[in-house]
Amino acid sequence: MTKIAAEPLAVLRARTSYKWQTYPADVLPLFVAEMDYPLAGPVQQAIIDRVLASDTGYIAGPRPVAEAFAGFAGRTWSWAVDPEDVRTTTDVSVAIVECLRQAVPMDSTVVITPPVYPPFFELPLEADAAVVEVPLLSDGGNWALDLAGIEQAFALGADAMLLCNPHNPLGLVHSVETLRALADLSAKYGVTVISDEIHAPLTYEPGAFTPYLTVSQNARGYGICVSAASKGWNIAGTKCAVMVAQSDRTRLMLSSMPEEVSARTSILGLHAAAAAYTDGGPWLASVLESLAANRRLLGELLAEHLPGVRYRLPAASYLAWLDFRALGWGDDPAATALEQARVALESGLRFGPQGAGYVRLNFACSPEVLTEAVERLAAVAGRAGQRATLG
């Protein structure tokens, strides 16, 4: 499989997206989850076809993307999805909020597992719920859900849990055994689990990712999957996400949502996502080749230039969770990286208190940009080391 090449910086800086408009041109932006690759041809063409047809009105329903997602899920994960069980909305964050509004009463509690995707701290608040944090367990290298802590939170009255599967920012792919144990707990305590699976198409090893709803009847009974083509095919701005329910209980939640939840889906996003799921497989495979090379390159660069930074290869996604604590850059090394190296990284503090001393780095870029970014960071570390020696 041929690797796909990232766009040149001159081309990228002409983009109007958040990644390329937030910082001055001397900053290398490796923070927000946008990729630097050109769009998949079928996705481009799907959007162009709708525009040429002046077909930019309201969606007539989820059918095109529902059928496409069901086909992709079956081919990729052997997950049997009935298109009738699929609903759409604008994006995964909105999907989570709307699912919570159906699943939990006001003044309820929702479990999250930091360090985790920053909006997870805020989305339950939109649904008039409070957040209960059950941090991941870590032995210094590996991470896992704290099932005992989650059970305690469920027993104390939590009404729902947001599962990040794969887990952002770690690129952690939860095991079948872990997911099944979580599903058993959710059924035991009557807790709805909303599984955010947006990074699932970006799993490196075939068969490594397991959709939550496939692990058991308990998972299907109390779980809802929310996902989108936005991360895998870099089309977040087209605004289309899917919600999947596979039990009478959860189907009722989706069907009880206001009609506007679905109506706000972009018709361009609907067709872009359908094209991605149906015809975007070869492009995705090429991107994964490039990302796999970059995740290895990042490890080599860090070992050579910043050996004090700890890095564990992510099993999914193009996001690296880097431990800068040995460098002495404080709780927010991203601030030093931006100010002194002119490299924009995501602050680990945004992912919870467990992120102190960490950064998240987006390696969905060219090898040249990735190399320059690490070399810039190393230069700052080298200057700091010289000052410490002289002092």
Side-chain angles (χ1 to χ4, degrees):
M1 181 64 66
T2 303
K3 294 186 292 185
I4 192 167
E7 301 270 30
L9 277 176
V11 173
L12 292 166
R13 293 196 186 282
R15 292 184 181 180
T16 64
S17 68
Y18 180 62
K19 180 175 183 179
W20 295 100
Q21 294 299 312
T22 300
Y23 296 105
D26 67 324
V27 172
L28 294 178
L30 303 182
F31 66 116
V32 70
E34 296 179 23
M35 293 194 282
D36 293 353
Y37 307 111
L39 282 184
V43 172
Q44 284 184 323
Q45 195 60 50
I47 295 172
I48 291 168
D49 288 347
R50 292 307 92 215
V51 172
L52 291 177
S54 299
D55 187 13
T56 54
Y58 300 108
I59 68 165
R63 196 73 191 183
V65 75
E67 292 179 344
F69 178 81
F72 180 79
R75 294 189 305 274
T76 308
W77 305 303
S78 300
W79 178 18
V81 175
D82 185 340
E84 294 295 327
D85 286 337
V86 180
R87 300 287 188 275
T88 65
T89 190
T90 54
D91 56 43
V92 162
S93 289
V94 170
I96 288 172
V97 171
E98 296 299 337
C99 287
L100 286 175
R101 284 177 173 152
Q102 296 298 318
V104 303
M106 291 182 63
D107 300 322
S108 58
T109 56
V110 177
V111 174
I112 66 172
T113 56
V116 73
Y117 181 52
F120 274 28
F121 294 89
E122 303 167 359
L123 299 176
L125 307 183
E126 290 190 44
D128 296 314
V131 168
V132 174
E133 298 180 25
V134 181
L136 296 176
L137 298 174
S138 173
D139 61 7
N142 298 309
W143 300 78
L145 292 177
D146 180 359
L147 292 170
I150 290 170
E151 179 168 20
Q152 183 178 23
F154 286 4
L156 290 173
D159 298 282
M161 174 176 165
L162 301 185
L163 173 67
C164 206
N165 179 41
H167 193 101
N168 174 9
L170 308 174
L172 170 66
V173 175
H174 300 295
S175 70
V176 174
E177 294 75 19
T178 294
L179 296 176
R180 190 173 292 130
L182 175 62
D184 290 346
L185 291 175
S186 77
K188 177 180 178 179
Y189 294 98
V191 175
T192 301
V193 174
I194 300 169
S195 184
D196 174 354
E197 302 184 358
I198 197 170
H199 288 278
L202 293 166
T203 303
Y204 292 98
E205 297 298 328
F209 170 77
T210 303
Y212 179 68
L213 297 186
T214 67
V215 300
S216 68
Q217 189 57 48
N218 282 337
R220 290 183 288 277
Y222 289 86
I224 297 174
C225 166
V226 296
S227 192
S230 56
K231 289 297 181 285
W233 287 269
N234 207 41
I235 53 173
T238 63
K239 293 299 178 184
C240 177
V242 298
M243 300 171 281
V244 184
Q246 293 190 304
S247 71
D248 290 343
R249 178 181 183 272
T250 54
R251 289 185 189 105
L252 179 61
M253 292 180 188
L254 298 193
S255 63
S256 298
M257 291 179 180
E259 185 178 348
E260 281 298 311
V261 173
S262 176
R264 291 172 184 144
T265 307
S266 162
I267 196 168
L268 297 181
L270 183 86
H271 290 286
Y277 288 131
T278 302
D279 299 313
W283 181 92
L284 179 63
S286 295
V287 163
L288 281 168
E289 287 287 331
S290 295
L291 294 177
N294 272 6
R295 71 173 181 158
R296 293 191 298 269
L297 174 62
L298 177 58
E300 294 165 1
L301 291 168
L302 292 173
E304 179 180 356
H305 299 288
L306 286 168
V309 173
R310 298 184 64 183
Y311 163 59
R312 179 177 177 270
L313 283 177
S317 89
Y318 47 80
L319 305 169
W321 187 237
L322 305 180
D323 182 352
F324 270 67
R325 289 176 295 178
L327 268 61
W329 288 16
D331 286 348
D332 189 13
T336 300
L338 179 60
E339 179 182 352
Q340 298 186 34
R342 307 304 284 164
V343 176
L345 305 172
E346 204 70 63
S347 171
L349 294 173
R350 296 194 64 221
F351 300 84
Q354 299 77 15
Y358 286 80
V359 301
R360 192 189 72 178
L361 180 150
N362 175 349
F363 57 81
C365 57
S366 70
E368 293 78 17
V369 167
L370 185 60
T371 299
E372 182 177 347
V374 174
E375 288 177 347
R376 288 189 188 189
L377 295 168
V380 173
R383 290 195 295 270
Q386 289 175 353
R387 286 194 297 271
T389 300
L390 293 173

